[in-house]
Amino acid sequence: MKTIIEPFRIKVVEPLKLTTRAEREAALHKAGMNLFLIPAEDVLIDLLTDSGTGAMSSEQWAGVMRGDESYAGARSYFRFAAKLEEITGFEHVIPTHQGRASERILFELVGGPNKVIPNNNHFDTTRANIEHSGAEALDLVIEEGRDPRSRHPFKGNLDLDKLEALFRDVGADRIPLVMVTVTNNSGGGQPVSLENLHGVRKICDAHDTPMYLDACRFAENAYFIKLREEGQSRRATRAIVREMFDLVDGATISAKKDGIVNIGGVLLLRDEALCREARNVLILTEGFPTYGGLAGRDLEAMAQGFEEVLDEDYLNYRIRSTAYLGEKLLSAGIQIVEPPGGHAIYLDAANFLPHIPTEQFPGQALACALYLHAGIRGCEIGSVMFGEAASMELVRLAIPRRVYTQSQIDYVIEALVEVHQKRSSIKGMQIVEQPPTLRHFTARFAEISC
Ligand code: F0G
């Protein structure tokens, strides 16, 4: 059969509050036109992020009850570490409270002034942690990855020529590691091919430089490889995942994505000495190495989530249902980053609102218009988030895992088609207040009236 159904049924429900346009207008005004500052209760369909917003399974909740809350050496830690080792092959598994904690520990140890850290595209927290250490964060995604219309199957790939050129220009001593983000969140949730990962590895080997993954969405990336890369279709996703991790010296993971938990992170390291140092920093800022800022119950939920995410029926539903949203928008004439990503659809706000110039933040204007019209919350990924480093003006509609049904997604499609019809009435924005870093979380905006 052609219909892809949700491969689960609903056991617990959470009521949604319907709001009027006047209520949404008031909420938006109070929040300074920043959707991060709106109470979640006033949001009907929350597509702000797929991070920590997934629905846990009955087995994960059972794990929560089984959680061993011992301070040191908890049973839950050993179960968690064994599951991560089984999936990734890494012997040193460090739990952290979320992805950015793994990043902070790693870059505190390997970053610092004068260092340069390349990636396909750094996510905002990764870039911020690198810059906080004094190092420079560089984005080296392939050119197709910057073109919303390109249908390249692996638009997350890192440009190998640019990487070679970087080694030539700055020298290996200034590059403590090369990172690859799978899937490439800032570049449209696009996957990276195995071939490209092998290519990066080869360059790293030639310069004796470690290679790391930002592996938040490793399962979705591996499933795209199975679907799209020549010679991979008969392999189990699990085997592809293992090959991805076998290639690298370490990984930072936010378990709030493909771990399908509400909180949790992982730092994977091969180097013994670095691992010892990381555990010392962990004790200082997160917690003892067998809990790393989490409760035992969280470690149980993660162990189970990392197993469930590799179920190919789940992955098929996940990738196909995201594509459903994307393809429907495309056929309604709404430009998205093509092809549809794994965890999100990215609206091309510059194309949607051609009358709003970059410096008037078309992504922010579109995200606010969608909320105002239908109570749907998306997230600007463009000049507000990245300033001048932004290569596209996007609004991300991230799909929480196992949360929304197809009829709710149909509502999102209808709302966007209606907003698109009256797009010429949407106005540009200006920033009226902003913090020094990660401004998108707390900045306040105002509409430009003329
Ligand atoms: N790396 C990537 C690629 C991410 O997408 C995120 C989080 C992180 C690192 C940091 O992980 O939130 O657990 O500290 N992305 C979320 C998002 C916030 O909405 O895409 P974290």
Side-chain angles (χ1 to χ4, degrees):
M1 288 184 60
K2 280 208 320 244
T3 307
I4 304 290
I5 61 163
E6 290 84 0
F8 49 82
R9 55 185 177 181
I10 296 166
K11 189 179 290 230
V12 178
V13 297
E14 188 178 0
L16 293 173
K17 188 178 100 179
L18 293 160
T19 51
T20 62
R21 188 182 170 96
E23 285 168 337
R24 293 194 291 277
E25 221 160 49
L28 200 55
H29 190 72
K30 202 167 161 204
M33 312 296 269
N34 185 337
L35 297 175
F36 280 102
L37 303 180
I38 286 190
E41 222 191 356
D42 294 333
V43 176
L44 184 61
I45 308 282
D46 203 346
L47 308 182
L48 186 67
T49 177
D50 64 319
S51 180
T53 52
M56 293 213 296
S57 68
S58 47
E59 273 309 308
Q60 284 178 292
W61 283 109
V64 167
M65 287 308 297
R66 277 195 299 269
D68 174 356
E69 304 303 341
S70 306
Y71 189 94
R75 192 175 57 239
S76 302
Y77 166 75
F78 292 110
R79 175 158 184 250
F80 157 78
K83 178 54 71 183
L84 265 292
E85 186 177 350
E86 178 197 315
I87 293 171
T88 67
F90 273 80
E91 280 174 37
H92 302 306
V93 180
I94 297 178
T96 60
H97 81 274
Q98 62 183 83
R100 71 198 69 181
S102 305
E103 292 161 8
R104 193 190 50 75
I105 293 168
L106 179 65
F107 294 119
E108 181 173 330
L109 297 174
V110 306
N114 219 25
K115 301 273 168 62
V116 180
I117 297 165
N119 202 329
N120 43 359
N121 281 118
H122 290 283
F123 193 61
D124 59 353
T125 59
T126 324
R127 171 175 288 280
N129 271 297
I130 289 170
E131 289 172 355
H132 185 69
S133 82
E136 186 186 347
L138 269 189
D139 290 340
L140 302 183
V141 73
I142 56 170
E143 284 308 314
E144 290 89 336
R146 297 177 197 271
D147 171 10
R149 282 199 179 78
S150 161
R151 279 249 165 193
H152 189 293
F154 292 102
K155 282 170 81 172
N157 283 355
L158 195 144
D159 189 320
L160 301 180
D161 293 335
K162 284 189 200 154
L163 185 60
E164 282 280 21
L166 182 71
F167 273 106
R168 264 198 316 275
D169 292 349
V170 311
D173 342 334
R174 289 181 55 202
I175 306 175
L177 57 86
V178 176
M179 204 158 202
V180 185
T181 303
V182 292
T183 55
N184 186 19
N185 187 9
S186 313
Q190 302 291 327
V192 178
S193 69
L194 264 184
E195 190 191 13
N196 189 252
L197 290 173
H198 279 277
V200 174
R201 176 78 258 178
K202 217 169 134 193
I203 295 172
C204 286
D205 282 344
H207 298 279
D208 208 12
T209 300
M211 173 177 171
Y212 276 62
L213 286 179
D214 176 339
C216 295
R217 300 175 180 88
F218 68 96
E220 290 172 6
N221 197 88
Y223 195 68
F224 274 124
I225 288 174
K226 183 181 167 80
L227 291 179
R228 295 182 185 170
E229 193 159 347
E230 216 180 303
Q232 300 297 325
S233 64
R234 284 175 211 277
R235 292 180 77 194
T237 305
R238 195 179 280 274
I240 299 171
V241 163
R242 185 55 188 266
E243 188 173 336
M244 287 162 53
F245 281 104
D246 279 349
L247 279 169
V248 294
D249 302 285
T252 55
I253 308 180
S254 166
K256 300 168 72 171
K257 285 83 169 173
D258 274 352
I260 325 185
V261 287
N262 305 119
I263 196 74
V266 188
L267 176 59
L268 300 173
L269 297 168
R270 279 197 215 284
D271 185 275
E272 294 268 353
L274 187 62
C275 188
R276 265 197 305 278
E277 285 182 73
R279 287 202 165 111
N280 288 337
V281 180
L282 186 84
I283 291 175
L284 199 64
T285 58
E286 290 277 300
F288 191 71
T290 62
Y291 75 86
L294 293 166
R297 63 180 82 103
D298 299 321
L299 298 170
E300 289 281 346
M302 269 204 278
Q304 182 63 25
F306 279 120
E307 177 59 37
E308 289 177 11
V309 81
L310 293 174
D311 176 349
E312 293 191 353
D313 291 335
Y314 160 77
L315 283 167
N316 186 35
Y317 144 76
R318 172 78 177 153
I319 299 303
R320 291 285 297 275
S321 56
T322 305
Y324 171 84
L325 169 59
E327 300 296 355
K328 289 267 179 183
L329 293 177
L330 276 172
S331 59
I334 297 173
Q335 187 62 47
I336 61 163
V337 174
E338 297 182 61
H343 67 293
I345 293 299
Y346 294 66
L347 306 170
D348 181 347
N351 180 278
F352 199 110
L353 302 172
H355 58 288
I356 301 184
T358 309
E359 57 284 4
Q360 293 182 15
F361 309 118
Q364 190 67 18
L366 177 55
C368 287
L370 185 60
Y371 172 74
L372 203 56
H373 187 69
I376 298 162
R377 176 158 67 169
C379 179
E380 193 265 7
I381 298 203
S383 294
V384 175
M385 186 178 274
F386 292 118
E388 283 173 12
S391 55
M392 293 186 274
E393 298 299 326
L394 306 174
V395 173
R396 186 184 69 171
L397 305 175
I399 320 289
R401 291 169 182 77
R402 309 189 291 205
V403 169
Y404 291 118
T405 61
Q406 185 170 332
S407 67
Q408 288 167 323
I409 295 300
D410 284 334
Y411 170 88
V412 174
I413 295 163
E414 192 179 331
L416 266 162
V417 169
E418 287 176 7
V419 173
H420 193 239
Q421 277 159 2
K422 50 173 198 177
R423 60 190 181 280
S424 58
S425 65
I426 298 171
K427 298 194 173 93
M429 297 261 173
Q430 61 189 16
I431 294 181
V432 292
E433 202 184 302
Q434 61 177 314
T437 53
L438 295 174
R439 66 177 178 181
H440 52 289
F441 291 124
T442 54
R444 296 179 77 84
F445 302 82
E447 259 184 5
I448 297 173
S449 42
C450 58

PDB file of all heavy atoms in Angstrom, residues 50 185 188-189 220 318 322 325 340-346 396-399:
ATOM      1  N   ASP A  50      12.634  20.210  16.780  1.00  0.00           N
ATOM      2  CA  ASP A  50      12.437  18.768  16.973  1.00  0.00           C
ATOM      3  C   ASP A  50      13.279  18.308  18.151  1.00  0.00           C
ATOM      4  O   ASP A  50      13.500  17.127  18.333  1.00  0.00           O
ATOM      5  CB  ASP A  50      12.871  18.016  15.706  1.00  0.00           C
ATOM      6  CG  ASP A  50      14.370  18.177  15.449  1.00  0.00           C
ATOM      7  OD1 ASP A  50      14.894  19.293  15.635  1.00  0.00           O
ATOM      8  OD2 ASP A  50      15.025  17.186  15.086  1.00  0.00           O
ATOM      9  N   ASN A 185      21.811  20.526   9.938  1.00  0.00           N
ATOM     10  CA  ASN A 185      20.640  21.264  10.417  1.00  0.00           C
ATOM     11  C   ASN A 185      20.570  22.682   9.850  1.00  0.00           C
ATOM     12  O   ASN A 185      19.540  23.085   9.305  1.00  0.00           O
ATOM     13  CB  ASN A 185      20.679  21.278  11.952  1.00  0.00           C
ATOM     14  CG  ASN A 185      19.431  21.856  12.564  1.00  0.00           C
ATOM     15  OD1 ASN A 185      18.450  22.109  11.879  1.00  0.00           O
ATOM     16  ND2 ASN A 185      19.445  22.063  13.861  1.00  0.00           N
ATOM     17  N   GLY A 188      19.391  23.058   6.053  1.00  0.00           N
ATOM     18  CA  GLY A 188      18.164  22.479   5.521  1.00  0.00           C
ATOM     19  C   GLY A 188      17.908  21.029   5.925  1.00  0.00           C
ATOM     20  O   GLY A 188      17.094  20.349   5.303  1.00  0.00           O
ATOM     21  N   GLY A 189      18.605  20.536   6.951  1.00  0.00           N
ATOM     22  CA  GLY A 189      18.374  19.144   7.395  1.00  0.00           C
ATOM     23  C   GLY A 189      18.802  18.143   6.337  1.00  0.00           C
ATOM     24  O   GLY A 189      18.243  17.056   6.223  1.00  0.00           O
ATOM     25  N   GLU A 220      18.654   9.515  11.033  1.00  0.00           N
ATOM     26  CA  GLU A 220      18.019  10.073   9.835  1.00  0.00           C
ATOM     27  C   GLU A 220      19.043  10.166   8.700  1.00  0.00           C
ATOM     28  O   GLU A 220      18.747   9.844   7.542  1.00  0.00           O
ATOM     29  CB  GLU A 220      17.405  11.448  10.148  1.00  0.00           C
ATOM     30  CG  GLU A 220      16.190  11.316  11.065  1.00  0.00           C
ATOM     31  CD  GLU A 220      15.638  12.643  11.587  1.00  0.00           C
ATOM     32  OE1 GLU A 220      16.099  13.722  11.166  1.00  0.00           O
ATOM     33  OE2 GLU A 220      14.730  12.602  12.437  1.00  0.00           O
ATOM     34  N   ARG A 318       9.141   8.504   9.399  1.00  0.00           N
ATOM     35  CA  ARG A 318       9.714   9.811   9.738  1.00  0.00           C
ATOM     36  C   ARG A 318      10.114  10.595   8.471  1.00  0.00           C
ATOM     37  O   ARG A 318       9.724  11.749   8.282  1.00  0.00           O
ATOM     38  CB  ARG A 318      10.950   9.572  10.632  1.00  0.00           C
ATOM     39  CG  ARG A 318      11.778  10.804  10.930  1.00  0.00           C
ATOM     40  CD  ARG A 318      11.137  11.631  11.986  1.00  0.00           C
ATOM     41  NE  ARG A 318      11.931  12.792  12.344  1.00  0.00           N
ATOM     42  CZ  ARG A 318      11.418  13.908  12.827  1.00  0.00           C
ATOM     43  NH1 ARG A 318      10.101  14.014  13.007  1.00  0.00           N
ATOM     44  NH2 ARG A 318      12.177  14.911  13.158  1.00  0.00           N
ATOM     45  N   THR A 322       7.847  13.789   6.714  1.00  0.00           N
ATOM     46  CA  THR A 322       8.433  15.122   6.531  1.00  0.00           C
ATOM     47  C   THR A 322       8.372  15.506   5.050  1.00  0.00           C
ATOM     48  O   THR A 322       8.026  16.638   4.692  1.00  0.00           O
ATOM     49  CB  THR A 322       9.893  15.150   7.044  1.00  0.00           C
ATOM     50  OG1 THR A 322       9.899  14.713   8.403  1.00  0.00           O
ATOM     51  CG2 THR A 322      10.488  16.542   6.971  1.00  0.00           C
ATOM     52  N   LEU A 325       4.908  16.864   3.871  1.00  0.00           N
ATOM     53  CA  LEU A 325       4.708  18.293   4.107  1.00  0.00           C
ATOM     54  C   LEU A 325       5.439  19.112   3.036  1.00  0.00           C
ATOM     55  O   LEU A 325       4.866  20.020   2.421  1.00  0.00           O
ATOM     56  CB  LEU A 325       5.217  18.655   5.516  1.00  0.00           C
ATOM     57  CG  LEU A 325       5.337  20.134   5.874  1.00  0.00           C
ATOM     58  CD1 LEU A 325       3.998  20.850   5.755  1.00  0.00           C
ATOM     59  CD2 LEU A 325       5.888  20.302   7.296  1.00  0.00           C
ATOM     60  N   PRO A 340      13.123  17.818   0.493  1.00  0.00           N
ATOM     61  CA  PRO A 340      12.768  17.942   1.911  1.00  0.00           C
ATOM     62  C   PRO A 340      13.825  17.304   2.818  1.00  0.00           C
ATOM     63  O   PRO A 340      14.396  16.280   2.473  1.00  0.00           O
ATOM     64  CB  PRO A 340      11.449  17.159   2.006  1.00  0.00           C
ATOM     65  CG  PRO A 340      10.872  17.248   0.634  1.00  0.00           C
ATOM     66  CD  PRO A 340      12.042  17.206  -0.301  1.00  0.00           C
ATOM     67  N   GLY A 341      14.095  17.947   3.943  1.00  0.00           N
ATOM     68  CA  GLY A 341      15.079  17.416   4.892  1.00  0.00           C
ATOM     69  C   GLY A 341      14.496  16.287   5.740  1.00  0.00           C
ATOM     70  O   GLY A 341      13.370  15.839   5.514  1.00  0.00           O
ATOM     71  N   GLY A 342      15.270  15.833   6.707  1.00  0.00           N
ATOM     72  CA  GLY A 342      14.835  14.705   7.531  1.00  0.00           C
ATOM     73  C   GLY A 342      13.923  15.128   8.661  1.00  0.00           C
ATOM     74  O   GLY A 342      12.861  14.545   8.882  1.00  0.00           O
ATOM     75  N   HIS A 343      14.340  16.159   9.407  1.00  0.00           N
ATOM     76  CA  HIS A 343      13.607  16.513  10.622  1.00  0.00           C
ATOM     77  C   HIS A 343      12.766  17.760  10.448  1.00  0.00           C
ATOM     78  O   HIS A 343      12.072  18.160  11.376  1.00  0.00           O
ATOM     79  CB  HIS A 343      14.584  16.734  11.777  1.00  0.00           C
ATOM     80  CG  HIS A 343      15.467  17.941  11.590  1.00  0.00           C
ATOM     81  ND1 HIS A 343      16.415  18.024  10.612  1.00  0.00           N
ATOM     82  CD2 HIS A 343      15.527  19.119  12.258  1.00  0.00           C
ATOM     83  CE1 HIS A 343      17.032  19.193  10.682  1.00  0.00           C
ATOM     84  NE2 HIS A 343      16.509  19.879  11.673  1.00  0.00           N
ATOM     85  N   ALA A 344      12.859  18.395   9.283  1.00  0.00           N
ATOM     86  CA  ALA A 344      12.208  19.694   9.151  1.00  0.00           C
ATOM     87  C   ALA A 344      12.054  20.073   7.698  1.00  0.00           C
ATOM     88  O   ALA A 344      12.780  19.585   6.833  1.00  0.00           O
ATOM     89  CB  ALA A 344      13.066  20.761   9.853  1.00  0.00           C
ATOM     90  N   ILE A 345      11.108  20.968   7.486  1.00  0.00           N
ATOM     91  CA  ILE A 345      10.976  21.619   6.186  1.00  0.00           C
ATOM     92  C   ILE A 345      11.399  23.069   6.397  1.00  0.00           C
ATOM     93  O   ILE A 345      11.002  23.704   7.374  1.00  0.00           O
ATOM     94  CB  ILE A 345       9.508  21.537   5.687  1.00  0.00           C
ATOM     95  CG1 ILE A 345       9.136  20.082   5.390  1.00  0.00           C
ATOM     96  CG2 ILE A 345       9.270  22.434   4.484  1.00  0.00           C
ATOM     97  CD1 ILE A 345       9.978  19.408   4.319  1.00  0.00           C
ATOM     98  N   TYR A 346      12.206  23.567   5.469  1.00  0.00           N
ATOM     99  CA  TYR A 346      12.734  24.913   5.587  1.00  0.00           C
ATOM    100  C   TYR A 346      12.109  25.756   4.487  1.00  0.00           C
ATOM    101  O   TYR A 346      12.344  25.519   3.302  1.00  0.00           O
ATOM    102  CB  TYR A 346      14.258  24.909   5.425  1.00  0.00           C
ATOM    103  CG  TYR A 346      14.996  24.182   6.531  1.00  0.00           C
ATOM    104  CD1 TYR A 346      14.860  22.809   6.704  1.00  0.00           C
ATOM    105  CD2 TYR A 346      15.839  24.863   7.394  1.00  0.00           C
ATOM    106  CE1 TYR A 346      15.536  22.143   7.707  1.00  0.00           C
ATOM    107  CE2 TYR A 346      16.524  24.201   8.405  1.00  0.00           C
ATOM    108  CZ  TYR A 346      16.369  22.840   8.554  1.00  0.00           C
ATOM    109  OH  TYR A 346      17.040  22.182   9.553  1.00  0.00           O
ATOM    110  N   ARG A 396      12.322  27.504   9.581  1.00  0.00           N
ATOM    111  CA  ARG A 396      12.307  26.054   9.759  1.00  0.00           C
ATOM    112  C   ARG A 396      11.021  25.609  10.440  1.00  0.00           C
ATOM    113  O   ARG A 396      10.643  26.158  11.469  1.00  0.00           O
ATOM    114  CB  ARG A 396      13.512  25.631  10.606  1.00  0.00           C
ATOM    115  CG  ARG A 396      13.631  24.119  10.718  1.00  0.00           C
ATOM    116  CD  ARG A 396      14.765  23.728  11.624  1.00  0.00           C
ATOM    117  NE  ARG A 396      14.472  24.062  13.013  1.00  0.00           N
ATOM    118  CZ  ARG A 396      15.214  23.685  14.042  1.00  0.00           C
ATOM    119  NH1 ARG A 396      16.320  22.992  13.847  1.00  0.00           N
ATOM    120  NH2 ARG A 396      14.881  24.015  15.280  1.00  0.00           N
ATOM    121  N   LEU A 397      10.376  24.635   9.828  1.00  0.00           N
ATOM    122  CA  LEU A 397       9.241  23.973  10.469  1.00  0.00           C
ATOM    123  C   LEU A 397       9.758  22.600  10.889  1.00  0.00           C
ATOM    124  O   LEU A 397       9.824  21.671  10.085  1.00  0.00           O
ATOM    125  CB  LEU A 397       8.073  23.838   9.487  1.00  0.00           C
ATOM    126  CG  LEU A 397       7.588  25.142   8.835  1.00  0.00           C
ATOM    127  CD1 LEU A 397       6.506  24.859   7.796  1.00  0.00           C
ATOM    128  CD2 LEU A 397       7.051  26.116   9.903  1.00  0.00           C
ATOM    129  N   ALA A 398      10.184  22.497  12.141  1.00  0.00           N
ATOM    130  CA  ALA A 398      10.783  21.242  12.615  1.00  0.00           C
ATOM    131  C   ALA A 398       9.684  20.332  13.137  1.00  0.00           C
ATOM    132  O   ALA A 398       8.758  20.793  13.808  1.00  0.00           O
ATOM    133  CB  ALA A 398      11.793  21.528  13.717  1.00  0.00           C
ATOM    134  N   ILE A 399       9.771  19.061  12.811  1.00  0.00           N
ATOM    135  CA  ILE A 399       8.695  18.135  13.182  1.00  0.00           C
ATOM    136  C   ILE A 399       9.116  17.318  14.406  1.00  0.00           C
ATOM    137  O   ILE A 399      10.029  16.487  14.310  1.00  0.00           O
ATOM    138  CB  ILE A 399       8.386  17.157  12.013  1.00  0.00           C
ATOM    139  CG1 ILE A 399       8.419  17.863  10.650  1.00  0.00           C
ATOM    140  CG2 ILE A 399       7.057  16.446  12.253  1.00  0.00           C
ATOM    141  CD1 ILE A 399       7.286  18.801  10.377  1.00  0.00           C
TER     142      ILE A 399
END
